[in-house]
Amino acid sequence: MAATWEFHLPVTPDDLLRSGGPGRYVVQEVLSARELPAAITAFRATFRARGALAVLQHFDPLYSLLHHFRALGTDLKEDALELMMHVASHHFNELPDILGDSGLSHADRTAHLNALKMNCYLLAGLVEAFEMETYKNSLLEVNPGGKNKKNSTKISGWEEEREPLLRLLMQLLQLDLRQLWSGLVVEEEFVSLMTGSCYRVLENPNIGLQKYRATRETVTHLLAVALVHYDHTFSAALKITQMLQHFEHIAPVFAQAVSLWATEYGLKSLVGELLREIGQKCPQDLARDVSGMKGFAAFITELAEQIPALVLSNMSVLLRYLDGESYMMRNAILAAMAEALMQVLNGDQLEETARGTRDQFLNILQAHICDIHGFVRSRVLQLFTRIVQCKALPLTQFQSVVSLAVERLKDKSVVVVKNAIQLLAAFLSNNPFSCKLSCTDLAEPLKKEVQKLQEMKDRSRSTAVSVIAPEEEWEAMLPEVKAATQQLFQPWEEGEEEVLEVEETVEGTSQQITGLLRRLNYRSAARLTQKALCYFKGKEPFSSLTGENEEATILSVLKRLYTGSCPAENGEDPPCGNSSLETEEVVPEEQSQTELVKQEMLVQYLQDAYNFSVKITEAMNMISKMMYENCVSVVQEAIEFFVTVSQFGMPQALLGVRRMLPLIWSKEPGVKEAVLNAYRRLYLSPSGDSERAKAQDLVHSFSLIMVDASLGTIQCLEEIISGFVEKDEIKPAVIQLLWERFTRKSQCSSLEQRAAVMLLGMMAQGKPEIIGSNLEVLVTLGLSENVCEDYRLAQEVCNAISKLALNTKPAQEKNNAPFRLTQNHMLFGCLSETVSKGFAQPSTHWIPFMEAAVSLIYQLAEGPEEICARILQVCSQQALEKLQEADGQKNGPEVSPSRVSDGASSLPTFLLMHLVSLVGQVALQQVAYLEVSVSTELRRRRILKEEKTKKLSDSSMKKQRPRSTGNETSMELELGLVGASADDTEAELVHSICERELLDEKHMFSAFVPLVLKICNNPGLYSDSALSAAAALTLGKLCMASSEFCDSHLRLLFTMMEKSALPSVRSNLIIAAGDLAIRFPNLVEPWTSHLYARLRDPCPSVRQTTGLVMTHLILKDMVKVKGQVSEMATLLIDPEEAIMGVAQNFFSELSNKGNTIYNLLPDIISHLSDPNCGIEEESFHTIMRHLFSYITKDKQTESLVEKLCQRFRTARTERQYRDLSYCLTLLPLSERGLHKLQDNFDCFADKLQDPVVYSCFQSVLVRFRRVCLKPEAKVLAEELEQKLSASHNRGLDSGETCQEGSETPMPGPAKRKPTESSHRKPLSTANRDEDFVTPQPRNLRNHKRAQKRRPPKKAVISFSSDEENSSEDELSGELKEEETPTKTTPITRSSARRLR
């Protein structure tokens, strides 16, 4: 049946409801949803009868289905979809025969064309409807309920049918459909209809998932058919560009599709079209369209990875974005350049044009390492990392890129720093120079080869003259020779004599003439030749040719003589001989030039390697300081970098490996794990063929770390190694080798033997049985008779054995007694004997060994006080015997410098020092033993007894017990009163023992106290520095025992701390005072200012010790944080790097204690800006930059702005104005902060005449404008700037201060005190006793402060003992009773105040 109408594809579905003209199909009736099932059934029946052309009669019901699609049930929708696919598939099977029928009538062709359009329109409509429903359901599935969940399960049927439907459409397009359009071009609307379904499917956000891979491939091939056969290129470029701009997920899909079309279908022109479309977008408009910007950037990046050559050929259209605002587009284009460098412009066989492009791209990338946006800088560093890993970076560019990477280590952006470290690590791993990059190892060969190159250049320069052929030289000199020859035929001038004579032989004359020519004496040579022609007539080379005049003959002879072309007398053929000589000369010349080029290349290679090593060394110094940054990722990268560096044999790597050790205590799990992994890679994977060789390598590596290592480094390494042992990561062969080294079964040095014991002790912390099973071996060999030869080995043996005491921790938690050895154990016998024997021998290592031995006795022995008492008794007896011997042998008044004397008797200094040190160590360990071990044991026994009593009482009173007693007992148990009172009783018992018995006259310590006090009180008599230090430390240890003894001797202790000229004494007393501040805080609190005073000590070691002690005391709230904490801030500018590190660590930890730094900042600023403080302005800036980096909260910033503005009113000097204004520049000002500045303008308006103050406020506004986005805030900033400018100009014009609205007049400019060259005041070695005033008790000071409350006065910090020299006799250190504190109040611990 022939159709009398034609189906036109509508622009919108409603177009089919309106008549568009004669002969166009119009939908007659839109059926209701209830009528659709019957209509679909009728359509199915007609389809079975007529085939695909049935749609011509039943199009309206299907159109109605699309019209009511949202209201229909899922079953009906799926039935309609299945039916339409059957219809389209049937039509596809029929179309090949129909298209191949040349006799097809016009009516049939029109009917099939209408059917094809209708079928495709309906299928496209179903795709659109199902995709829309799928998208809406996916939005509802965020929290799917019952109904939504049901719909989502049913809609999955569409996902199964989608790919077959798209495949069917692709098959239809693959047919030569032009026959249906009478051989003409297929109408564009039909192609758009088919491709529109593809684009609609690609809009699905989930299309990129792996499970939809088949759907993506089908869509890609369908679009490829449209591009190849239906001229869809231009439309596709526009559509893809639009979709990239609106759908972020689509970029990878289209990148893969475009890559496929370009490679498999030859559609390379589409790449250019797409990139041109993107390049023609306005950068300013694109900068506002963030979504479009992301899509384009992702597409360019993905496309460059897959087809870099095609992107490279169209790169020029994208370069304009490098200067645009969008950092994402810059990143994408730079990534495309990097891909081109890695995949296309890589290798040594590039043409000149390609080399130029490569260098241009590299220059662009290097320029953007310093891009204004941190993400771009970071991205470029990542790209360079990939380029280096792919070995695509030319050697000529290595040095410049490395230098840029090192510079980026100073970047403010954490991500940039992290990627810079990764790039440097990649440079190291892929460097073309050497596996060993030590500057020291490279410098020597470089110097040697440079010298060799210079020698070769000198030789080539000397032979370069003979390289020119003689004939060429003759031609050059011929004009001058002719002129000289012509002068022979002119008249003689007066005074001119003929001095040259012809030689007897032809050879002699020839050489003489040649020599004259070489010396450029042409006239003499010509005259001599003229004579020779007369003298040697007919003889070669002086034979003339017939017909030549005399001038020509002379020139001919001169030429032959100079060029060596004359025939010899012996009749040989000279030209041949001369030719062979030239050949012999040319060959060595070529060889020398080749060798010179090779040598230059070698020198350049060594120079590049050396420069690279220097840069890496510089980077290592910077990266090592980053290990303690707050950013975990930077710390991890720094650790990884040093692992890489250590593999290339750089000597500085060991410093970095050591520096990362303290990070094992980090609270960040990622950092701690990074350290453990680093040491695993460095030390647990040693090289070697056998287990023995690997064990030797591992032991040797760990031993290197311990060489000259500090105690802190050893403790960190112990934590790491013990962790490895607990996880069985260290092989038994290693432990076996360590025991062999200790027992000397394996040949090793004493240093290696000591390192073996230390390593065994570290491993025993993880597994104490390593030591416990070989305790007898350790005691026998480590504490034998030969121990006097190496006390350090014995000390390490004691430390290793002490690891057995670790078993007490789990034991105490149970009901078992702690692990202790009996007094008659061989260990304590050996220790007692060794300590006693070494007591009378002068050795610098005896005291550390003795301290380790006494500590070990108290840790492991039962009744350790008895063992140590015997040791003290024996050593005291030896001292008395020595004293008696000295009295008996005393013959004169002379006393040896190595002996101390009080006028009646003398004793070796070392012996007295040994005795004092022993007393102090035993006293300290006795206190620790009572406070820790005895208290713990008493508590354990009490708990055990209570548990037994409770069991007995429960069993006996199970049946009946008084209710009242039960209630009281339960109440006490609930409140914890029973255990608490028992704990108090035990603590009081231990306290009473320490207070009344340890230093009582009946106790042995009382016999040594006068000796210690005498040494401390008489520094002139006992002048030995080691003895003074030992006595001072012992005094501090004795003070730990009793608060009464401590109170009565605190003034002596602090007097020594102030007046002693020995840094070791001051350091020891600082440590002792720190311990006393924790044990007796109320006693030490009045002396706090003297502790702070040591922060200005001239000795660096004392300052560092004080910094560490004050850090512990302040962070543990044992010292009240006052304005004196500014003394800690001065350490931030200390010339010693270690002391700066202590201060930085202090403030970093203090910043974690709430708002502490915020609360302290105003006082710190006031103290440091005071002219009497002595802090220079630049140093003040350095301190403030560090402290203000901890102010991160907006409320803190706003409050500080107000406080700093208010301080302008009380500032007295210009320096204080400048300091306050500089502090304001360090605050990240917000809009509210700017309001605070505006509100307090009157406080600083009169100070704006100072140009420094004015510039600071200007910089504050400049920083605010950078981050300001709101228009009203910008207006406020402009108003404030006008007021600033007006106040500043008014001050400049009138020379008077602006007092408008100011409550306090500006004081006159104060006279500035001359600044000292150093920020520290000198510490006098001795002060007057009247200057050293005992601090008043707190209650008295509070009373005086209350009396003087009006008028208010600022507190002034003074340091009583740092200024003046003492005129007193240093031999005397007597105490004044009236200067000793008589009453103290309990210390008030500081707490973080709540920010208001």
Side-chain angles (χ1 to χ4, degrees), residues 512-583:
Q512 189 179 7
I513 294 170
T514 305
L516 289 170
L517 290 171
R518 297 287 182 195
R519 293 194 296 273
L520 307 181
N521 195 348
Y522 303 138
R523 186 171 182 179
S524 298
R527 183 166 296 166
L528 189 57
T529 304
Q530 188 181 31
K531 289 183 179 182
L533 285 171
C534 297
Y535 189 79
F536 302 107
K537 288 182 179 180
K539 292 186 178 180
E540 290 294 339
F542 302 104
S543 60
S544 60
L545 299 176
T546 56
E548 280 186 336
N549 58 20
E550 189 175 359
E551 182 183 349
T553 303
I554 293 172
L555 290 174
S556 176
V557 171
L558 287 172
K559 179 179 180 181
R560 278 181 286 175
L561 288 174
Y562 189 79
T563 59
S565 59
C566 60
E569 289 183 346
N570 54 11
E572 294 180 357
D573 189 5
C576 296
N578 188 50
S579 176
S580 64
L581 180 63
E582 288 182 0
T583 305

Side-chain angles (χ1 to χ4, degrees), residues 658 698-707 741 752 755-756 759:
R658 278 188 180 182
L698 186 147
V699 170
H700 176 70
S701 300
F702 275 129
S703 301
L704 280 179
I705 299 183
M706 292 189 293
V707 174
R741 286 196 173 190
E752 291 174 333
L759 287 171

